Amino acid sequence: MRIDQRALDQLRDIKITRNYTRYAEGSVLIEFGHTKVLCTASIDHSVPRFLKGQGQGWVTAEYGMLPRSTHTRSDREAARGKQSGRTQEIQRLIGRSLRAMIDLKKLGEHTINIDCDVIQADGGTRTASITGAAVALVDAVNVLIEQKKIKQDPLKGLIAAVSVGIFQDQALLDLCYEEDSNCQTDLNVVMTQAGEFIEIQGTAEDKPFTREQCNSMLQLAEQGIKELIQKQKTALDW
Amino acid sequence: MRIDQRALDQLRDIKITRNYTRYAEGSVLIEFGHTKVLCTASIDHSVPRFLKGQGQGWVTAEYGMLPRSTHTRSDREAARGKQSGRTQEIQRLIGRSLRAMIDLKKLGEHTINIDCDVIQADGGTRTASITGAAVALVDAVNVLIEQKKIKQDPLKGLIAAVSVGIFQDQALLDLCYEEDSNCQTDLNVVMTQAGEFIEIQGTAEDKPFTREQCNSMLQLAEQGIKELIQKQKTALDW
Amino acid sequence: MRIDQRALDQLRDIKITRNYTRYAEGSVLIEFGHTKVLCTASIDHSVPRFLKGQGQGWVTAEYGMLPRSTHTRSDREAARGKQSGRTQEIQRLIGRSLRAMIDLKKLGEHTINIDCDVIQADGGTRTASITGAAVALVDAVNVLIEQKKIKQDPLKGLIAAVSVGIFQDQALLDLCYEEDSNCQTDLNVVMTQAGEFIEIQGTAEDKPFTREQCNSMLQLAEQGIKELIQKQKTALDW
Amino acid sequence: MRIDQRALDQLRDIKITRNYTRYAEGSVLIEFGHTKVLCTASIDHSVPRFLKGQGQGWVTAEYGMLPRSTHTRSDREAARGKQSGRTQEIQRLIGRSLRAMIDLKKLGEHTINIDCDVIQADGGTRTASITGAAVALVDAVNVLIEQKKIKQDPLKGLIAAVSVGIFQDQALLDLCYEEDSNCQTDLNVVMTQAGEFIEIQGTAEDKPFTREQCNSMLQLAEQGIKELIQKQKTALDW
Amino acid sequence: MRIDQRALDQLRDIKITRNYTRYAEGSVLIEFGHTKVLCTASIDHSVPRFLKGQGQGWVTAEYGMLPRSTHTRSDREAARGKQSGRTQEIQRLIGRSLRAMIDLKKLGEHTINIDCDVIQADGGTRTASITGAAVALVDAVNVLIEQKKIKQDPLKGLIAAVSVGIFQDQALLDLCYEEDSNCQTDLNVVMTQAGEFIEIQGTAEDKPFTREQCNSMLQLAEQGIKELIQKQKTALDW
Amino acid sequence: MRIDQRALDQLRDIKITRNYTRYAEGSVLIEFGHTKVLCTASIDHSVPRFLKGQGQGWVTAEYGMLPRSTHTRSDREAARGKQSGRTQEIQRLIGRSLRAMIDLKKLGEHTINIDCDVIQADGGTRTASITGAAVALVDAVNVLIEQKKIKQDPLKGLIAAVSVGIFQDQALLDLCYEEDSNCQTDLNVVMTQAGEFIEIQGTAEDKPFTREQCNSMLQLAEQGIKELIQKQKTALDW
């Protein structure tokens, strides 16, 4: 039995609230249990310098945690004057994952800026961010289509992400903070709607993991992501 | 008649939600119409270097806007590597104002860190921040008292803040973004529960203002702050 | 009787020396008693990016204190790698105030950069900066006119600034450092030649202030600024 | 047939040169074909603040590329004033991986600083860094033992790393730069001498990858790492 | 005949004004013609970390130019967030030179911070800084002696500095800005009262210089520095 | 007899290895005894902003030390977020020196970026950098000529650099680290192939030096540089 009474292969309560704020073209509050992330997608009608004139678009992401989203207060990165290595690692992961949803050629010379800001953190903030931002990105893409800024739908399909881990030699789905801090291995998986992999990032925190453990974790992740994509579809009225 | 149908001396809808997030000792979501600010108060059982060993505490504040809290996306300050002058000006104002609520000697060698993070911005974010943070600060002080970390209640009373302005030569209470961007003069006022001034910051944006206009604005502010303090009391079950 | 033997409503000795350095289009050393600030106005025949092509000009200001302008040495901001919040707050105030003197449309696509560098600090450096920079700005505007870079005089009139405060429950004009550090309330006021307000910034340092005290301070400020504008006119041979 | 005539499951020429520079306690030049990385291990007889007084040691890593180690010159990170997200991601990976080799309790209150500086880059710099640094770390640990600074050998065993990828739907071992830039998927794997996983980081660059492809890649990686660990042993005269 | 009518071996008008500002323990305005530098010496009763507990003192220097001390305005280094390479080079030179005047053992655990701020720049700001700061340093040392903070006089003697150059194949003493920008070679020399060298820094700007030219320049520098030391003595009433 | 058995006027073993890395247009490993510096020259077909459209080229240099090139590990400048004053001073010196080798007009609108990275440091890294970079620069210039990017050879001739010093009142050529740290005076000299001076930078570390000592040092430097230029010619097959 897990800390929070879940079965080994059970997701936390997932809530996806679209149009959470007023101004962004896509604005989603996603909750994985106590983890709450506000994901916005903002359209910019230009592209970064390295893409100028190539007739394609871009999707990029930034990530931040409110200083007291965590159990003890963390420094505000804006006040310290730099983003931590962890923050940069996460926002690069979010950006890469979301670009896999989009045909950048069909997006035209537009940039969609994703912001994932963690309101409350209880483990899994990067996977919640990706899962929520995917929905916000769909909403922003639809704004571009409605405004006739683009002609073809650049969306390839949905993606979602979940963490899995090995805790006391058992594979667990969707770790909460306390599980995450105590597990032997932590694996974050991003997959497409079609059941293929976009990203796999596994780290042995305490002791190395075996090929069998790797397989069990990937198995659990596949199942969890399938459920998450179902939640996204429901939220999107698909 | 105002843009949003309010009377000249009418506040926007004010909502104060305590315990908005789980971990902070004080956590308040304050809404002034569409403006929404999450104000948390975090206790740190030490004081800044310049106060070490003096037997007194400290209250300090940081302020930030989520990049897409605004009509168009702003740069993320953490990514740019520095806080803007505006941000620093606002967080200094919030910190000074809140210190006026507290007898720092009675607080003992504890620091209360206030974080005001703007989720959605429609004008008046600094006054909403101060008004919400005052409530979060009361909650955090009560935690210290309950945990017997301090013996005497350091609270001197509540404070609240509101903006007033001159728009088309008339004084208005609690400007929304559109009024704020077009007004001649913008004045932010912070007052105590006892009806005395903590801060007055007035700026002629478009044309200078007269002594009479100053008086009308201060009059409106006094009235608005009286109402806001009533809302704070209701939220605190006082 | 005040620390330095002045009457409550008496300014310190004010000296305004034009053409203090050789290269700047406007260069003024202003002294408010022991406070000495070098204010230069430098013409740049372009405008910031956000104003490009709009046919209007800009006035902006920077402020700094020499490390040993103060009683004890402060860190050099250039060596620390950032300007303090106080510095940014002050330079934003100076810039806003001076823009109120100028019709930016008539200035054409020119920028006037104001630098206020404090040589010696004994309280009131921001008000001395504004008062001195106003004169330097007039000189720089006249250079533009003489060089036929602009056709119409963009000057709307002079502005000046002074601090007032409450010390031992009495209102004082033009606080020196020792008064400033010990006063209950400190209010900085910027006014036009026509006796209207540009900026009011009041802070209760020690205890809140009342509406009557606010009125007494504004009264004193009006009188002090009238005298300062007379000094500016004399310096300018008007 | 591959670009550089290798078989699909063939490593590039691997060279490991110990004592490459004179001063570091461990100093290894590792070559994976044209990729050359200088890995040094430096002993510091203290620990970071967060570990003070806990009777355990630390291993940490920094990574850098010489500006012209690459085909076209990159900016010098020291001159730009910050390390890129990629650099931080890589140095975090190296540090985590190497800590898995060491029983930090047995290391005592010593820190071993790993520096991986890329002299020439032709793909696989992070995996070469880990593989070379593991050898440098063994040398530094032995210095501590010889100098009787520690009593028990903290070494748990060797680790090594290799990249694998999918290129034209085939799994390849140890990608060179040209393969890396054109592959569909890139997977970096870190394993122990005992054949267990420390890190798996897979990214679909161009199109998602399947479970079968993931398995083929992990298979290749296991085999490659076995060979690399043999090379490390030879270099260490084990 | 030179641009400003001086003989080849003639210094500009030199003025040394002690006690130029009120608060610093040493405060000197030095003028080399139109070049004006404010040099302050500030006492700090501690030493940098690397000297803690060694029973010796330290002398260090910082240098800055007011943004409009120059013919055209330069960026403010505090606003740009870093000191230029030139600034750092100069302040390192000033610090090294002044340490040569002082027996650091006899100074005890005190630091003297020198600040050289250029009010107006017409060439030779680094040599004027050193020459003026030497006088400010003597004044600060005397404060320490008068306050009985140190027992023995740590002063070894005076130092001064001057620039020399080759212009149209002739050696010139004490270059003004226009000469400096057009000369073939620029050499800055720092010497002791006893006629020995502390620093020589020569740079061929336009074409290389010969051994004979080097000798002529050193000859001129010796003579100029002798005169400067005489001016320092007069200013110090020695 | 010197620490390392050399005669007073004897250089350390000098090795110059061209084409040390694969990608740079010029790539030289230079060794002065145990000091090893990798000098690369990279061609960029554009010029810095301040030279745009003037039909001339630019040569600039950056310098860095690998963190463990030294006896004890130094901080990585990229991680600290800024280059030290020493680094900036050295890279400015290298850049100025190399520009003296080149007729920038004949170089056309191309920039050559020199990177000097110290692999191992045993004194004299700046003089080794200049001497090695001169050879790399020749190679890069020849690439431009071969590729017909420029028509005339912009090379004016070779330059080289060496350090000299006074140790126990005797002049020494080419100081190693231990001599450098203990010498009274340290003088770095850069000269042309024609025996003329580009740069002289002498610093009295411990006690001032006399004119005679200056002459002895310059004499030794001339001789050493003559030998270094011979080594460069041999390396270049001239």
Side-chain angles (χ1 to χ4, degrees):
Chain A
M1 199 51 132
R2 293 166 71 175
I3 289 154
D4 52 6
Q5 326 302 329
R6 281 186 286 153
L8 298 177
D9 64 350
Q10 191 182 342
L11 292 172
R12 291 176 284 180
D13 283 349
I14 308 296
K15 276 194 225 152
I16 299 177
T17 309
R18 281 164 69 209
N19 305 316
Y20 187 73
T21 55
R22 292 169 62 86
Y23 309 123
E25 286 75 16
S27 173
V28 167
L29 184 78
I30 189 155
E31 302 173 60
F32 275 33
H34 294 312
T35 290
K36 301 185 188 190
V37 186
L38 174 53
C39 309
T40 59
S42 301
I43 297 172
D44 179 355
H45 299 298
S46 70
V47 287
R49 186 186 304 260
F50 71 92
L51 286 179
K52 286 261 160 73
Q54 300 184 22
Q56 75 158 86
W58 193 240
V59 176
T60 185
E62 288 182 359
Y63 168 93
M65 299 181 88
L66 296 194
R68 194 56 194 279
S69 59
T70 43
H71 290 72
T72 56
R73 185 176 183 274
S74 320
D75 286 346
R76 183 178 291 269
E77 292 187 330
R80 276 197 317 167
K82 63 177 191 171
Q83 293 179 298
S84 70
R86 176 185 173 276
T87 291
Q88 291 195 53
E89 203 172 291
I90 292 174
Q91 67 193 12
R92 284 160 55 87
L93 170 67
I94 300 171
R96 277 198 313 272
S97 298
L98 295 175
R99 281 191 292 277
M101 281 176 62
I102 297 291
D103 182 329
L104 297 172
K105 288 283 172 208
K106 293 189 184 156
L107 183 56
E109 295 218 344
H110 306 283
T111 296
I112 301 181
N113 292 290
I114 302 295
D115 288 286
C116 296
D117 285 279
V118 178
I119 305 294
Q120 195 167 273
D122 187 32
T125 62
R126 80 188 71 187
T127 51
S129 293
I130 292 167
T131 307
V135 177
L137 180 54
V138 170
D139 280 336
V141 161
N142 286 335
V143 168
L144 280 171
I145 294 171
E146 281 156 34
Q147 294 179 344
K148 314 222 163 155
K149 299 285 186 188
I150 54 180
K151 290 178 190 158
Q152 290 178 284
D153 189 345
L155 193 69
K156 296 184 189 172
L158 288 166
I159 66 161
V162 80
S163 70
V164 283
I166 303 292
F167 182 68
Q168 299 175 342
D169 289 315
Q170 279 188 305
L172 300 186
L173 178 65
D174 185 22
L175 311 179
C176 68
Y177 175 74
E178 202 169 329
E179 291 170 340
D180 187 36
S181 343
N182 295 296
C183 69
Q184 298 156 226
T185 288
D186 177 22
L187 184 76
N188 291 293
V189 181
V190 187
M191 295 183 81
T192 64
Q193 184 171 4
E196 292 182 315
F197 295 101
I198 300 292
E199 288 273 343
I200 296 178
Q201 295 202 341
T203 296
E205 301 278 346
D206 183 53
K207 59 174 198 182
F209 56 99
T210 63
R211 188 72 177 277
E212 291 73 43
Q213 289 176 325
C214 183
N215 282 335
S216 319
M217 288 189 287
L218 291 177
Q219 194 65 43
L220 269 186
E222 277 187 47
Q223 174 207 316
I225 286 172
K226 206 170 285 180
E227 289 181 49
L228 289 168
I229 284 175
Q230 201 45 57
K231 300 274 183 188
Q232 291 172 325
K233 287 181 172 169
T234 306
L236 286 161
D237 302 316
W238 280 11
Chain B
M1 200 49 134
R2 293 166 70 176
I3 290 157
D4 52 7
Q5 325 302 329
R6 282 185 286 152
L8 298 178
D9 65 349
Q10 192 183 342
L11 292 173
R12 288 176 285 180
D13 282 347
I14 308 296
K15 277 196 224 149
I16 299 178
T17 309
R18 283 164 68 209
N19 305 316
Y20 187 73
T21 55
R22 291 168 62 87
Y23 309 123
E25 285 76 16
S27 173
V28 167
L29 183 78
I30 189 155
E31 302 174 58
F32 274 35
H34 294 311
T35 290
K36 300 183 188 193
V37 185
L38 173 53
C39 309
T40 60
S42 300
I43 296 172
D44 178 355
H45 298 298
S46 71
V47 286
R49 186 186 304 258
F50 72 91
L51 285 178
K52 286 262 159 71
Q54 300 184 24
Q56 75 159 85
W58 193 241
V59 176
T60 185
E62 288 181 359
Y63 168 94
M65 299 181 90
L66 296 194
R68 195 57 195 277
S69 58
T70 42
H71 289 71
T72 56
R73 186 176 183 272
S74 322
D75 285 346
R76 183 177 292 268
E77 292 187 331
R80 276 196 317 167
K82 61 178 193 171
Q83 294 179 296
S84 70
R86 176 184 174 277
T87 291
Q88 291 196 54
E89 203 171 293
I90 292 175
Q91 67 192 13
R92 285 160 56 88
L93 170 66
I94 300 170
R96 277 199 315 268
S97 298
L98 295 175
R99 282 192 291 279
M101 278 176 64
I102 298 290
D103 181 329
L104 296 171
K105 287 283 172 210
K106 293 188 183 157
L107 182 56
E109 295 217 345
H110 306 283
T111 296
I112 300 180
N113 291 291
I114 302 295
D115 287 288
C116 296
D117 285 280
V118 178
I119 304 295
Q120 193 166 274
D122 187 33
T125 63
R126 79 189 72 189
T127 52
S129 293
I130 292 167
T131 307
V135 176
L137 180 55
V138 170
D139 280 335
V141 161
N142 285 336
V143 169
L144 280 171
I145 293 172
E146 280 155 34
Q147 294 179 343
K148 313 226 164 150
K149 300 286 186 187
I150 54 177
K151 290 176 188 157
Q152 290 178 285
D153 188 345
L155 193 69
K156 296 183 187 172
L158 288 166
I159 65 161
V162 80
S163 71
V164 283
I166 303 292
F167 182 69
Q168 298 176 341
D169 288 314
Q170 277 188 306
L172 300 187
L173 179 64
D174 186 24
L175 311 180
C176 68
Y177 175 75
E178 201 169 329
E179 291 169 340
D180 188 36
S181 343
N182 295 297
C183 70
Q184 300 158 224
T185 288
D186 176 23
L187 183 76
N188 291 292
V189 180
V190 187
M191 294 184 82
T192 65
Q193 181 170 8
E196 292 181 317
F197 295 101
I198 300 292
E199 288 274 344
I200 295 177
Q201 295 200 342
T203 297
E205 302 280 347
D206 184 54
K207 62 176 196 181
F209 56 99
T210 64
R211 188 72 176 275
E212 291 71 44
Q213 290 175 322
C214 182
N215 282 336
S216 318
M217 289 190 286
L218 291 177
Q219 194 65 42
L220 269 186
E222 277 188 49
Q223 174 208 316
I225 287 173
K226 205 171 286 180
E227 288 180 51
L228 287 169
I229 284 176
Q230 201 46 55
K231 301 275 185 187
Q232 290 173 324
K233 287 181 173 170
T234 305
L236 285 161
D237 303 316
W238 280 10
Chain C
M1 198 52 133
R2 293 166 71 176
I3 289 155
D4 53 5
Q5 325 304 328
R6 280 186 286 152
L8 298 177
D9 65 349
Q10 190 182 344
L11 293 172
R12 288 177 286 180
D13 282 348
I14 308 296
K15 277 195 222 149
I16 299 177
T17 309
R18 283 164 67 208
N19 304 316
Y20 188 72
T21 54
R22 292 168 64 87
Y23 310 123
E25 286 75 18
S27 172
V28 166
L29 184 78
I30 189 157
E31 301 174 60
F32 275 34
H34 294 310
T35 290
K36 300 183 188 192
V37 185
L38 174 52
C39 309
T40 59
S42 300
I43 296 171
D44 179 355
H45 297 298
S46 70
V47 288
R49 185 185 305 258
F50 72 92
L51 285 179
K52 286 263 159 70
Q54 301 184 21
Q56 74 159 86
W58 193 241
V59 175
T60 185
E62 288 182 358
Y63 168 94
M65 298 181 89
L66 296 194
R68 195 55 195 278
S69 58
T70 43
H71 289 71
T72 56
R73 186 176 183 273
S74 321
D75 285 347
R76 182 177 293 267
E77 292 187 329
R80 277 195 318 168
K82 63 176 190 171
Q83 292 180 298
S84 70
R86 176 185 173 276
T87 291
Q88 291 195 54
E89 203 172 293
I90 292 175
Q91 67 193 12
R92 284 160 56 87
L93 170 65
I94 299 171
R96 278 198 312 271
S97 298
L98 295 176
R99 281 192 291 278
M101 277 175 65
I102 298 290
D103 182 328
L104 296 172
K105 287 283 173 210
K106 292 189 185 157
L107 183 56
E109 295 218 345
H110 306 282
T111 297
I112 300 180
N113 291 289
I114 302 295
D115 288 286
C116 296
D117 285 279
V118 178
I119 305 294
Q120 193 167 274
D122 187 33
T125 62
R126 80 189 70 188
T127 50
S129 293
I130 292 167
T131 307
V135 177
L137 180 54
V138 170
D139 280 334
V141 161
N142 285 335
V143 167
L144 281 171
I145 294 172
E146 280 156 34
Q147 294 179 342
K148 314 225 163 152
K149 300 285 185 185
I150 54 179
K151 289 177 189 157
Q152 289 177 286
D153 188 346
L155 192 70
K156 297 184 187 170
L158 287 165
I159 65 161
V162 80
S163 70
V164 284
I166 302 291
F167 183 68
Q168 299 176 340
D169 289 315
Q170 278 188 307
L172 299 188
L173 179 64
D174 185 23
L175 311 180
C176 69
Y177 175 75
E178 201 169 331
E179 290 170 341
D180 187 36
S181 344
N182 295 295
C183 70
Q184 299 157 224
T185 289
D186 177 23
L187 183 77
N188 291 293
V189 181
V190 187
M191 294 183 80
T192 64
Q193 183 171 6
E196 291 181 317
F197 295 101
I198 300 292
E199 289 273 343
I200 295 178
Q201 297 202 339
T203 297
E205 302 279 347
D206 183 55
K207 60 176 199 182
F209 57 99
T210 62
R211 188 71 178 275
E212 292 73 43
Q213 288 175 326
C214 183
N215 282 335
S216 318
M217 288 189 287
L218 292 178
Q219 194 65 44
L220 269 187
E222 277 188 46
Q223 174 207 315
I225 286 171
K226 204 171 288 179
E227 288 181 50
L228 288 168
I229 284 175
Q230 201 46 56
K231 300 274 183 188
Q232 291 173 324
K233 288 181 172 170
T234 305
L236 285 162
D237 302 316
W238 280 10
Chain D
M1 199 50 134
R2 294 165 70 176
I3 289 156
D4 52 6
Q5 325 301 330
R6 282 186 287 153
L8 298 178
D9 65 350
Q10 191 182 343
L11 292 173
R12 289 176 285 180
D13 283 346
I14 308 296
K15 277 196 223 147
I16 300 178
T17 308
R18 283 164 68 209
N19 304 315
Y20 187 74
T21 55
R22 292 168 64 85
Y23 309 123
E25 286 75 18
S27 172
V28 168
L29 183 79
I30 189 156
E31 302 174 58
F32 275 33
H34 293 311
T35 289
K36 300 184 188 193
V37 185
L38 174 53
C39 309
T40 59
S42 300
I43 297 172
D44 178 354
H45 298 298
S46 70
V47 286
R49 187 185 304 257
F50 72 92
L51 285 178
K52 285 262 159 71
Q54 300 185 24
Q56 75 159 86
W58 194 241
V59 176
T60 184
E62 287 181 359
Y63 167 94
M65 299 182 89
L66 296 195
R68 194 56 195 279
S69 58
T70 42
H71 290 70
T72 55
R73 187 175 182 274
S74 320
D75 285 346
R76 183 177 291 268
E77 292 187 329
R80 276 196 318 168
K82 64 177 189 170
Q83 293 178 296
S84 70
R86 176 186 174 275
T87 291
Q88 291 196 55
E89 204 172 292
I90 292 175
Q91 66 192 12
R92 283 161 57 88
L93 169 65
I94 300 171
R96 278 198 314 270
S97 298
L98 295 175
R99 282 192 291 279
M101 279 177 64
I102 298 290
D103 182 329
L104 296 172
K105 286 283 173 208
K106 292 188 184 156
L107 183 57
E109 296 218 344
H110 306 283
T111 297
I112 300 181
N113 291 291
I114 302 295
D115 287 287
C116 296
D117 285 279
V118 179
I119 305 294
Q120 195 167 274
D122 187 33
T125 63
R126 78 188 73 188
T127 52
S129 293
I130 292 168
T131 306
V135 176
L137 180 54
V138 171
D139 280 336
V141 162
N142 285 335
V143 167
L144 280 172
I145 294 172
E146 279 156 34
Q147 294 179 345
K148 315 223 161 156
K149 299 287 187 189
I150 54 178
K151 288 178 192 157
Q152 290 178 284
D153 188 346
L155 192 70
K156 296 184 187 171
L158 287 166
I159 66 161
V162 80
S163 70
V164 282
I166 303 292
F167 182 70
Q168 297 175 343
D169 288 315
Q170 277 188 305
L172 300 188
L173 179 64
D174 186 24
L175 312 180
C176 69
Y177 176 75
E178 202 169 328
E179 291 170 338
D180 188 36
S181 343
N182 295 298
C183 68
Q184 298 157 226
T185 288
D186 176 23
L187 182 77
N188 292 292
V189 181
V190 187
M191 294 183 82
T192 64
Q193 183 171 4
E196 292 182 316
F197 295 101
I198 300 293
E199 289 274 343
I200 295 178
Q201 296 202 342
T203 297
E205 301 281 347
D206 183 54
K207 62 176 196 180
F209 56 100
T210 63
R211 189 71 176 277
E212 291 72 42
Q213 289 176 323
C214 182
N215 282 336
S216 318
M217 288 189 286
L218 291 177
Q219 195 64 43
L220 269 188
E222 275 187 50
Q223 175 208 315
I225 286 173
K226 205 170 288 177
E227 288 180 50
L228 287 168
I229 284 176
Q230 201 45 57
K231 300 274 185 189
Q232 290 173 324
K233 286 181 173 169
T234 305
L236 285 162
D237 302 316
W238 281 11
Chain E
M1 200 50 132
R2 294 166 68 177
I3 290 155
D4 52 6
Q5 327 300 329
R6 280 186 287 152
L8 299 177
D9 65 349
Q10 193 182 342
L11 293 172
R12 288 176 285 179
D13 282 347
I14 308 296
K15 277 195 224 152
I16 300 177
T17 309
R18 284 163 68 210
N19 303 316
Y20 187 73
T21 55
R22 291 167 65 86
Y23 308 123
E25 286 75 18
S27 173
V28 167
L29 182 78
I30 189 156
E31 302 173 58
F32 276 32
H34 293 311
T35 290
K36 300 183 188 192
V37 185
L38 174 52
C39 309
T40 59
S42 299
I43 296 172
D44 178 353
H45 297 298
S46 70
V47 286
R49 187 185 304 258
F50 71 93
L51 285 178
K52 284 264 161 69
Q54 300 185 23
Q56 74 158 86
W58 192 241
V59 175
T60 185
E62 288 181 358
Y63 168 94
M65 299 181 90
L66 296 193
R68 195 54 196 278
S69 58
T70 43
H71 290 71
T72 56
R73 188 176 182 272
S74 322
D75 285 347
R76 183 176 293 267
E77 292 188 330
R80 276 195 317 167
K82 64 177 188 169
Q83 293 179 297
S84 69
R86 176 185 173 276
T87 291
Q88 291 196 54
E89 203 172 292
I90 292 175
Q91 65 192 13
R92 284 161 56 88
L93 170 67
I94 300 171
R96 278 198 314 270
S97 299
L98 295 175
R99 283 193 291 280
M101 278 176 64
I102 298 289
D103 182 329
L104 296 172
K105 287 285 171 205
K106 292 189 183 155
L107 183 56
E109 295 217 345
H110 306 283
T111 297
I112 301 180
N113 292 291
I114 301 295
D115 288 289
C116 296
D117 285 280
V118 178
I119 305 294
Q120 193 167 274
D122 187 32
T125 63
R126 78 188 72 188
T127 51
S129 292
I130 292 168
T131 306
V135 176
L137 180 54
V138 170
D139 279 336
V141 162
N142 285 335
V143 168
L144 280 171
I145 293 173
E146 279 156 34
Q147 294 179 343
K148 313 226 164 155
K149 300 286 186 186
I150 54 178
K151 289 177 190 157
Q152 289 177 285
D153 188 344
L155 192 70
K156 294 184 187 173
L158 289 166
I159 66 160
V162 80
S163 71
V164 283
I166 303 291
F167 182 70
Q168 298 175 341
D169 290 314
Q170 278 187 306
L172 300 187
L173 179 64
D174 186 23
L175 311 180
C176 68
Y177 175 73
E178 202 170 328
E179 290 169 341
D180 188 35
S181 343
N182 295 296
C183 69
Q184 300 157 226
T185 289
D186 177 22
L187 183 77
N188 291 291
V189 180
V190 187
M191 295 183 81
T192 64
Q193 183 171 7
E196 292 181 316
F197 294 100
I198 300 293
E199 288 273 345
I200 295 178
Q201 296 201 341
T203 297
E205 303 279 348
D206 183 54
K207 61 176 198 181
F209 56 98
T210 63
R211 188 73 174 276
E212 291 72 44
Q213 288 175 325
C214 183
N215 282 336
S216 317
M217 288 189 287
L218 292 177
Q219 194 66 41
L220 269 186
E222 276 188 50
Q223 175 207 316
I225 286 173
K226 205 170 287 179
E227 288 181 49
L228 287 168
I229 284 177
Q230 200 47 55
K231 301 275 185 188
Q232 290 173 323
K233 286 181 173 171
T234 304
L236 286 161
D237 301 318
W238 280 10
Chain F
M1 199 51 135
R2 293 165 71 176
I3 289 155
D4 53 4
Q5 327 302 329
R6 280 187 286 154
L8 299 177
D9 65 349
Q10 192 182 341
L11 292 172
R12 289 177 283 181
D13 282 348
I14 308 297
K15 277 195 224 149
I16 299 176
T17 308
R18 284 165 67 209
N19 304 317
Y20 187 73
T21 55
R22 291 168 64 87
Y23 309 122
E25 286 74 18
S27 173
V28 167
L29 183 78
I30 189 156
E31 302 174 57
F32 275 34
H34 294 311
T35 290
K36 299 184 189 192
V37 185
L38 174 53
C39 308
T40 59
S42 301
I43 296 172
D44 179 355
H45 298 298
S46 69
V47 287
R49 185 185 305 259
F50 71 92
L51 285 179
K52 286 261 161 71
Q54 301 184 23
Q56 74 158 87
W58 193 241
V59 176
T60 185
E62 288 182 358
Y63 168 94
M65 299 182 88
L66 296 193
R68 195 53 195 279
S69 57
T70 43
H71 289 71
T72 55
R73 184 174 184 275
S74 321
D75 286 347
R76 183 178 292 268
E77 292 187 329
R80 275 194 320 165
K82 63 176 191 172
Q83 294 180 296
S84 70
R86 177 185 172 275
T87 291
Q88 292 197 53
E89 204 172 291
I90 292 174
Q91 67 193 12
R92 285 161 55 87
L93 170 66
I94 300 171
R96 278 198 312 270
S97 298
L98 294 175
R99 282 191 292 279
M101 277 177 64
I102 298 290
D103 181 329
L104 297 171
K105 287 284 172 206
K106 293 189 184 156
L107 183 57
E109 295 219 345
H110 306 284
T111 297
I112 301 181
N113 290 291
I114 302 295
D115 287 287
C116 296
D117 285 279
V118 178
I119 305 294
Q120 193 168 275
D122 187 32
T125 62
R126 79 188 71 187
T127 51
S129 294
I130 292 167
T131 307
V135 176
L137 180 53
V138 170
D139 280 337
V141 161
N142 285 334
V143 168
L144 281 172
I145 293 172
E146 279 156 35
Q147 295 179 342
K148 312 224 165 154
K149 300 286 186 187
I150 54 178
K151 289 177 192 159
Q152 290 177 283
D153 188 346
L155 191 70
K156 295 184 189 171
L158 288 165
I159 65 159
V162 79
S163 71
V164 283
I166 303 290
F167 182 68
Q168 298 176 342
D169 289 316
Q170 278 188 304
L172 299 187
L173 178 64
D174 185 23
L175 310 180
C176 68
Y177 176 72
E178 202 170 329
E179 291 170 340
D180 188 35
S181 341
N182 294 297
C183 70
Q184 299 156 226
T185 288
D186 178 21
L187 182 77
N188 291 293
V189 180
V190 187
M191 294 182 82
T192 63
Q193 184 171 4
E196 292 182 315
F197 294 100
I198 300 294
E199 288 274 342
I200 295 177
Q201 295 202 343
T203 297
E205 302 279 346
D206 183 55
K207 60 175 198 182
F209 57 98
T210 63
R211 188 71 177 277
E212 291 73 41
Q213 288 176 325
C214 182
N215 282 335
S216 317
M217 289 190 287
L218 292 178
Q219 193 66 41
L220 270 185
E222 277 187 47
Q223 175 207 317
I225 286 171
K226 205 170 288 178
E227 288 181 49
L228 288 167
I229 284 175
Q230 200 47 55
K231 300 273 185 190
Q232 290 173 324
K233 287 181 172 170
T234 305
L236 285 162
D237 301 317
W238 282 9

